[in-house]
């Protein structure tokens, strides 16, 4: 009986040696499927499943996993969309003022550098700055209420305030998703652009276009 058991065990071991390693292949496929699109050498963050516009699994600091500080992925997405929109408006406004001059009522802000123009406006019309801060306070209050409500009921999409005067969101689902991806992509680029304009304004005291032309004339590149 013992001899029969040993023979059966040997036969099973020999057969398993020639069997395909299906389990290992599946495990390899599963690991490959979890790789980040943006960083293929890192695993995809668990919550970044590609359902959000512009989500390519880029989260090297693991911020999407934070949920014990009153901050979660919904809050982070809301902040990203908000800052993206503000940055796009800021870049457009900075370049518009540098090219066409100050807006009516702000003629005192004559500097090409918007950092210097801000202080010119502060010295001449501080009430403008105070009014802007008050408006920002009201906007942030309403935005905070919408964000808190959306986190609780799960109905509101981050950054959605129902503002669509041109009816872009009435198109096909494919076109809507494409527009959302374009918005976040351009917003991320605008955040980098706004940071660069602010930094060069503080260091060179020149406007963005003026600074670019100066760099080209000096063969800085």
């Amino acid at each position: 009986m013992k001899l029969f058991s040993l023979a059966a065990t040997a036969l099973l071991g020999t057969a398993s040696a020639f069997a395909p390693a299906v389990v290992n292949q599946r495990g390899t496929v599963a690991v490959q499927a979890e790789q980040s699109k943006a960083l293929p050498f890192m695993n995809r963050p668990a919550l970044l499943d590609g359902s959000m516009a512009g989500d390519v699994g880029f989260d090297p600091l693991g911020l999407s996993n934070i949920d014990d500080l009153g901050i979660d992925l919904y809050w982070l997405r809301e902040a990203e969309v908000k800052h993206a929109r503000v940055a796009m408006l800021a870049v457009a406004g900075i370049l518009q003022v540098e090219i066409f001059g100050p807006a009516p009522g702000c003629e005192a802000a004559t500097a090409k550098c918007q950092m210097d123009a801000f202080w010119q406006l502060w010295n001449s019309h501080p009430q403008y700055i105070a009014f802007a801060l008050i408006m920002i306070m009201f906007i942030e209050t309403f935005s905070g209420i919408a964000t808190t409500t959306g986190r609780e009921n799960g109905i509101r999409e981050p950054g959605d305030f129902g503002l669509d005067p041109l009816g872009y969101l009435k198109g096909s689902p494919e076109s809507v998703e494409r527009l959302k991806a374009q918005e976040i992509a351009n917003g991320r680029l605008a955040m980098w652009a706004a940071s660069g304009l602010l930094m060069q304004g503080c260091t060179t005291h020149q406007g963005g276009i003026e600074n670019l032309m100066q760099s080209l004339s000096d063969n800085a590149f």
Side-chain angles (χ1 to χ4, degrees), residues 58-208:
F58 183 80
D59 185 22
L61 300 180
L63 299 179
S64 61
N65 296 322
I66 298 177
D67 60 358
D68 56 351
L69 299 176
I71 300 174
D72 56 8
L73 184 60
Y74 185 97
W75 189 93
L76 292 173
R77 180 64 169 186
E78 181 80 24
E80 181 186 31
V81 173
K82 179 190 299 183
H83 285 85
R85 291 168 176 170
V86 170
M88 286 188 284
L89 290 172
V91 172
I94 289 174
L95 297 180
Q96 183 269 333
V97 171
E98 183 177 358
I99 296 172
F100 300 105
C106 303
E107 289 80 4
T110 58
K112 293 292 185 182
C113 171
Q114 293 307 297
M115 300 301 98
D116 296 337
F118 172 83
W119 293 113
Q120 288 178 337
L121 191 62
W122 173 267
N123 292 328
S124 60
H125 300 290
Q127 68 272 18
Y128 291 176
I129 308 299
F131 177 77
L133 293 176
I134 293 174
M135 291 304 298
I136 291 174
M137 180 185 67
F138 281 111
I139 293 173
E140 286 296 315
T141 299
F142 289 117
S143 175
I145 294 173
T147 304
T148 303
T149 304
R151 292 171 68 183
E152 292 177 351
N153 57 34
I155 299 176
R156 174 183 175 272
E157 184 177 351
D160 181 13
F161 291 94
L163 183 63
D164 184 29
L166 300 180
Y168 287 127
L169 299 180
K170 297 179 181 178
S172 64
E174 293 77 12
S175 64
V176 171
E177 291 301 319
R178 184 178 67 255
L179 290 173
K180 290 180 179 179
Q182 292 173 346
E183 179 190 32
I184 198 65
N186 286 281
R188 290 167 178 170
L189 179 61
M191 286 190 279
W192 283 106
S195 300
L197 287 168
L198 294 176
M199 181 61 68
Q200 65 84 24
C202 293
T203 54
T204 66
H205 297 282
Q206 292 180 331

Side-chain angles (χ1 to χ4, degrees), residues 39-64:
L39 302 172
F41 54 87
M42 297 182 64
N43 289 335
R44 175 183 62 81
L47 298 179
L48 300 183
D49 55 2
S51 59
M52 296 187 300
D55 176 16
V56 291
F58 183 80
D59 185 22
L61 300 180
L63 299 179
S64 61

